[in-house]
Amino acid sequence: MKPEIVGAFRKSSYSGQEGDCVEVARTADADCVVRDSKQNDGAWLVIGANAWTSLLATLKADSTAAA
């Protein structure tokens, strides 16, 4: 069963021009849903709100450490 999406899917501003990217949207439960932008009707990955926040913090920390 797919979760209830609130709002539109959006792409990262870092997405390439070739369309090789993922899209993310919020659910009614404040979780995040991630999907392949080329397969809108394909599988979704649901990530809990706390896990999503931790993932973003880790990615941001890794990107500043690499700079």
Side-chain angles (χ1 to χ4, degrees), residues 12-31:
S12 168
S13 58
Y14 292 99
S15 296
Q17 298 300 321
E18 293 81 35
D20 297 333
C21 54
V22 296
E23 297 175 320
V24 65
R26 291 279 182 188
T27 70
D29 296 328
D31 295 332

